[in-house]
Amino acid sequence: MEGALTARDKVGVQDFVLLDAYTSESAFLDNLRKRFSENLIYTYIGTLLVSVNPYQELGIYTVSQMELYQGVNFFELPPHIYAIADNAYRMMCSELNNHFILISGESGAGKTEASKKILQYFAVTCPMTKSLQIARDRLLLSNPVLEAFGNAKTLRNDNSSRFGKYMDIQFDYKGVPVGGHIISYLIEKSRVVYQNQGERNFHIFYQLLEGGEEELLASLGLERDPQLYKYLSQGHCAKESSINDKNDWKTVSSAFSVIDFTEDDLENLFGIIASVLHLGNICFEENHQGCATVPDTHEIKWISKLLGVHPSILLEALTHRKIEAKTEEVICPLTLELSVYARDAMAKAVYGRTFTWLVNKINSSLVNKDFTKKTVIGLLDIYGFEVFDKNGFEQFCINYCNEKLQQLLIERTLKAEQAEYEMEGIEWEPIQYFNNKIICDLVEERHKGIISILDEECIRPGPATDLSFLEKLEEKVGKHAHFQTRKLAGPKGRKRIGWMEFRLCHYAGEVTYCTKGFLEKNNDLLYRHLKEVLCRSKNRILKECFLVAELENRRRPPTVGTQFKNSLSSLLEILISKEPSYIRCIKPNDRKEPSKFDDLLIRHQIKYLGLMEHLRVRRAGFAYRRKYEHFLQRTKLIMTTISLFTSRTKIFIRFPRTLFATEDAFEFSKHQLVARIQAKYKACLERREYV
Ligand code: ATP
Ligand code: MG
């Protein structure tokens, strides 16, 4: 009927590959908007899933939905995160190889929720034996524990992950989940001592105060009211209506018992959490000589009790510093400012290392030694590209991480895909894309990259400062095409680079970084005096976190930047050996509101998530491919008659829902099969649309 809306007009296409105007960003945005307004939050680009955060419960994650997607071929049902999970799982089972699912997007876009949905999907749909139920439960319950210690309310997200997380789910040869392993990346320790207006510290502090039993709080010397603690009250939003700390405490407490935490572990763990709160409340005063003193030692006494250290030694370590002269150690008093610095450094170090201990503890409960041969599906829930009004060392690290992951995508998808067509001798029009290796090199190259320059400034004897670091940058990389400093910044139409700033032209756009704090954060210095106190602590967890051997080792530990660079390079090694699936999460608006689609915000995300490039490559290429041997195995009955779409080493099938996508395919000869497919999908093929 003329004028009537077709289904396609109303709900858009479920795979961007099918868009007529596939090169147009506006058409992309329109399609996303149409679907979002119909509560269809998932859309494919080939096998990549684009997900828009609905900010409301849509009833699409029920057990019956899970069952619907189980074992069904990828394109047979509307796009869903379960299809991605199921596809990776079935490929892993049939090809006995390892997979990973990379979930990316900006803060609040729904990455963590997505990773939880995938984990739940496996927990419900995978085969299970009674003896392995505990492994499954531990996998599921590791989440609330890690979130309690690693997530916090920020302006962008009430449950923002303040660390990167990679989790392997291990399966036996029958596809039963048997164990797991978690790696965490760069927890935002600075949050322990400081939060911006409207933000909170890590959830666990509030959960303990709100939900902890009277007796427990009394034994830790804590009051219930978070406002009484300096480390919890700076953001002025200790209580947040969307967060139920009391209930979350219950969830976390019961999770602890499933993940093998003993009474002793918990006593030590909460001793540490309480000590951090007491530390924040230590007030220093200045005496006549300009040295720091602590007039009220109430907090010192509690910390000493909880951490098992001597109060006078702790007090001395917070107000003095040991300096090594040629043959002896000299103890110098600290100024008030340096004592505050020492106190905060201690709180950050204690929390940061306890978080690492927690991850290790969870890992030891997820280990399953009974299964030596395992295949894995890794889930990577990692911080997305960040551009704030003010960007510091953290944003620099996070954006560098995104550059590296973009490199992986380029290597695995854009570059590899095109190289493959060439190798296979298939006609192909090259797709232009920006290879960001040049930016990765600018940041990480040995001796020449920004991290190396920063490290040099950190270890250089003499007065290095954030400004001298910037000057070194200007000198060494000032002429790089993707780097700009205040010297080069022209006023024409662009925001000028200010004092103490440099700008990087990332693949996703330009970001201006303020160098203030770079040296301190990269050094992450804990005075030796305090380290000694912590190494001698009787608290069992701290004993494991601060080994005496560290005191004996006079070599400088690697800086934060270098550690992060190394951990990213190991992550890439882990990923490169596995088969990828990608989920790109999009945040529809800045107000956490359902049904609000902010065009400008989303356009920006489409750009930096590289969706248009991905679409162009997918559109030009073949959507579905299998290696010969796997194809053979699957289709051996009809193999003698099939020769469709083959190249030198692989079978390529342009329309995914064809041939062996239908179970009954095995019953037909090639000619029957092709006739059937053509008859059934004729209209769709003409419209270039899936069914
Ligand atoms: P961050 O980088 O800050 O950790 P994130 O990408 O992990 O952010 P999430 O914590 O997963 O973001 O999501 C933010 C909030 O959005 C969730 O707390 C939830 O309220 C909502 N949300 C996300 N995904 C969904 C979904 N699929 N259905 C309903 N609500 C969702
Ligand atoms: Mg998250």
Side-chain angles (χ1 to χ4, degrees):
M1 211 183 358
E2 213 178 321
L5 280 179
T6 64
R8 185 185 164 124
D9 288 334
K10 194 156 176 259
V11 300
V13 292
Q14 61 182 29
D15 189 331
F16 286 106
V17 172
L18 304 169
L19 276 180
D20 294 329
Y22 69 94
T23 51
S24 144
E25 202 179 274
S26 301
F28 192 103
L29 192 70
D30 275 348
N31 193 51
L32 210 57
R33 190 189 308 101
K34 271 184 203 161
R35 295 181 65 73
F36 185 70
S37 65
E38 296 290 319
N39 283 342
L40 300 168
I41 61 165
Y42 295 125
T43 311
Y44 293 135
I45 304 178
T47 50
L48 177 147
L49 181 74
V50 180
S51 161
V52 188
N53 184 350
Y55 279 121
Q56 60 180 314
E57 292 310 322
L58 294 177
I60 55 173
Y61 305 110
T62 57
V63 172
S64 58
Q65 279 281 312
M66 293 184 188
E67 285 163 355
L68 189 66
Y69 278 86
Q70 202 181 344
V72 173
N73 271 294
F74 195 74
F75 294 99
E76 279 189 37
L77 289 168
H80 202 294
I81 193 158
Y82 293 158
I84 296 279
D86 193 69
N87 193 48
Y89 177 75
R90 273 185 307 115
M91 299 248 274
M92 177 195 72
C93 290
S94 67
E95 296 174 12
L96 290 178
N97 54 6
N98 298 320
H99 289 249
F100 73 85
I101 302 176
L102 193 161
I103 310 167
S104 48
E106 71 177 56
S107 179
K111 302 179 291 292
T112 302
E113 289 299 316
S115 76
K116 285 195 261 189
K117 304 285 187 265
I118 294 172
L119 201 57
Q120 276 155 5
Y121 180 79
F122 292 141
V124 172
T125 60
C126 291
M128 182 52 55
T129 63
K130 239 194 155 133
S131 61
L132 285 168
Q133 270 174 14
I134 185 80
R136 179 197 60 189
D137 294 346
R138 284 177 180 168
L139 275 168
L140 286 172
L141 290 171
S142 63
N143 256 335
V145 173
L146 276 182
E147 282 192 16
F149 286 80
N151 287 27
K153 177 196 150 52
T154 65
L155 290 176
R156 288 166 183 80
N157 182 358
D158 295 349
N159 182 35
S160 184
S161 319
R162 309 315 298 160
F163 65 108
K165 180 177 165 194
Y166 174 78
M167 179 187 205
D168 262 342
I169 310 166
Q170 302 160 340
F171 297 86
D172 73 355
Y173 71 100
K174 288 189 206 139
V176 179
V178 293
H181 185 80
I182 294 166
I183 306 175
S184 66
Y185 297 92
L186 199 71
I187 176 129
E188 186 194 38
K189 287 189 294 189
S190 56
R191 181 167 298 273
V192 176
V193 299
Y194 178 74
Q195 310 88 43
N196 288 324
Q197 188 68 22
E199 301 203 345
R200 300 209 309 177
N201 207 322
F202 293 99
H203 295 322
I204 189 65
F205 293 109
Y206 309 89
Q207 292 173 358
L208 172 64
L209 296 188
E210 184 86 5
E213 301 70 25
E214 288 297 337
E215 265 173 47
L216 175 62
L217 293 197
S219 72
L220 299 170
L222 296 177
E223 303 285 336
R224 242 184 232 294
D225 183 3
Q227 304 296 346
L228 298 173
Y229 298 96
K230 186 154 166 277
Y231 282 166
L232 303 186
S233 52
Q234 300 161 86
H236 299 106
C237 67
K239 291 249 191 302
E240 169 62 45
S241 61
S242 69
I243 303 172
N244 189 332
D245 292 312
K246 207 170 189 163
N247 274 357
D248 293 345
W249 168 258
K250 283 187 197 139
T251 312
V252 173
S253 302
S254 53
F256 275 134
S257 58
V258 179
I259 322 179
D260 263 358
F261 280 70
T262 61
E263 284 289 316
D264 182 57
D265 287 332
L266 294 179
E267 195 184 318
N268 284 291
L269 184 59
F270 291 119
I272 293 173
I273 296 301
S275 299
V276 170
L277 293 181
H278 289 303
L279 261 174
N281 279 7
I282 295 178
C283 291
F284 297 97
E285 274 180 13
E286 211 167 36
N287 65 14
H288 294 306
Q289 288 88 39
C291 308
T293 60
V294 179
D296 179 357
T297 54
H298 173 79
E299 310 293 345
I300 298 275
K301 283 179 193 143
W302 270 108
I303 300 167
S304 306
K305 179 173 179 297
L306 296 168
L307 299 187
V309 296
H310 201 281
S312 56
I313 296 180
L314 174 64
L315 183 60
E316 188 190 62
L318 283 168
T319 48
H320 294 76
R321 192 180 170 185
K322 269 187 195 167
I323 295 175
E324 284 170 45
K326 271 186 190 134
T327 50
E328 51 177 354
E329 278 183 342
V330 184
I331 295 186
C332 309
L334 294 176
T335 60
L336 189 142
E337 202 186 7
L338 284 177
S339 278
V340 169
Y341 173 83
R343 176 198 71 188
D344 288 351
M346 175 170 163
K348 287 189 278 185
V350 163
Y351 194 86
R353 293 200 193 190
T354 302
F355 186 76
T356 308
W357 174 89
L358 194 81
V359 174
N360 291 340
K361 175 81 190 165
I362 291 174
N363 279 338
S364 56
S365 95
L366 295 178
V367 168
N368 198 332
K369 293 202 184 80
D370 296 342
F371 297 88
T372 43
K373 266 206 146 171
K374 291 175 279 224
T375 48
V376 306
I377 296 181
L379 296 180
L380 183 63
D381 168 7
I382 203 125
Y383 8 65
F385 194 71
E386 286 187 355
V387 198
F388 301 148
D389 291 339
K390 241 189 160 55
N391 303 290
F393 182 69
E394 285 86 357
Q395 279 70 47
F396 173 74
C397 290
I398 287 172
N399 293 343
Y400 163 51
C401 167
N402 276 274
E403 291 286 357
K404 294 293 280 179
L405 292 172
Q406 176 72 2
Q407 254 298 287
L408 179 82
L409 184 91
I410 286 174
E411 292 289 330
R412 294 296 298 258
T413 314
L414 306 180
K415 205 163 144 190
E417 182 114 356
Q418 308 208 53
E420 188 156 354
Y421 292 123
E422 264 168 40
M423 193 185 81
E424 298 287 350
I426 294 169
E427 205 179 307
W428 173 261
E429 208 174 292
I431 304 287
Q432 294 307 316
Y433 62 87
F434 169 63
N435 190 344
N436 69 336
K437 185 170 181 303
I438 184 167
I439 304 171
C440 293
D441 291 346
L442 169 64
V443 175
E444 68 185 8
E445 229 177 347
R446 286 185 76 186
H447 308 304
K448 289 192 264 174
I450 296 176
I451 293 179
S452 282
I453 298 170
L454 178 61
D455 281 2
E456 262 174 44
E457 276 305 279
C458 285
I459 53 172
R460 176 166 75 83
T465 61
D466 294 326
L467 181 61
S468 66
F469 162 57
L470 186 67
E471 283 164 354
K472 275 274 154 56
L473 284 182
E474 281 170 349
E475 181 191 320
K476 297 202 167 170
V477 292
K479 295 206 172 70
H480 194 287
H482 292 266
F483 181 93
Q484 289 178 323
T485 64
R486 45 202 178 129
K487 279 191 185 151
L488 295 174
K492 280 183 208 147
R494 296 164 86 189
K495 209 179 137 222
R496 246 195 125 91
I497 298 178
W499 180 241
M500 295 279 273
E501 286 177 339
F502 67 93
R503 183 181 288 157
L504 283 186
C505 306
H506 287 285
Y507 79 92
E510 292 181 350
V511 183
T512 305
Y513 298 97
C514 176
T515 52
K516 194 163 177 287
F518 264 58
L519 255 65
E520 185 191 317
K521 286 179 178 163
N522 192 46
N523 261 328
D524 196 25
L525 201 68
L526 181 65
Y527 291 145
R528 186 176 169 79
H529 210 148
L530 274 173
K531 224 184 240 176
E532 280 174 11
V533 172
L534 293 167
C535 286
R536 305 216 163 95
S537 156
K538 298 222 163 50
N539 182 300
R540 207 177 37 72
I541 296 175
L542 281 196
K543 257 184 155 36
E544 287 175 38
C545 294
F546 292 87
L547 300 174
V548 180
E550 204 179 312
L551 295 175
E552 284 151 17
N553 183 0
R554 298 273 156 171
R555 283 181 56 195
R556 248 181 117 86
T559 60
V560 174
T562 295
Q563 275 182 47
F564 189 58
K565 179 175 118 179
N566 295 342
S567 64
L568 278 187
S569 121
S570 328
L571 172 66
L572 282 229
E573 262 169 45
I574 295 174
L575 299 182
I576 221 129
S577 63
K578 298 183 169 66
E579 291 298 317
S581 303
Y582 298 99
I583 300 177
R584 299 295 205 216
C585 298
I586 289 182
K587 180 174 168 168
N589 61 72
D590 267 336
R591 288 195 249 149
K592 306 169 193 163
E593 275 177 24
S595 315
K596 192 169 179 309
F597 193 91
D598 180 336
D599 282 15
L600 203 68
L601 191 78
I602 294 171
R603 243 179 215 279
H604 183 61
Q605 293 172 73
I606 291 173
K607 179 166 183 280
Y608 78 64
L609 289 170
L611 298 182
M612 295 311 292
E613 272 131 326
H614 198 89
L615 171 57
R616 282 206 301 277
V617 173
R618 277 288 164 210
R619 168 80 182 210
F622 295 92
Y624 194 64
R625 71 199 58 185
R626 294 262 62 81
K627 284 192 175 149
Y628 262 147
E629 59 263 39
H630 298 133
F631 182 80
L632 250 168
Q633 228 176 7
R634 193 97 168 85
T635 57
K636 49 186 172 244
L637 288 178
I638 52 170
M639 205 51 217
T640 47
T641 52
I642 278 212
S643 63
L644 276 174
F645 310 119
T646 60
S647 73
R648 279 177 217 143
T649 59
K650 294 193 180 63
I651 310 271
F652 289 86
I653 299 169
R654 186 178 279 278
F655 293 96
R657 193 185 151 140
T658 53
L659 301 180
F660 55 100
T662 49
E663 287 307 318
D664 60 0
F666 294 95
E667 293 167 20
F668 300 95
S669 73
K670 172 189 154 189
H671 295 297
Q672 285 173 313
L673 200 59
V674 173
R676 253 177 82 93
I677 290 164
Q678 281 177 346
K680 199 165 170 189
Y681 305 130
K682 189 165 175 281
C684 309
L685 292 179
E686 276 164 9
R687 287 204 309 271
R688 312 200 70 211
E689 188 177 271
Y690 306 136
V691 188

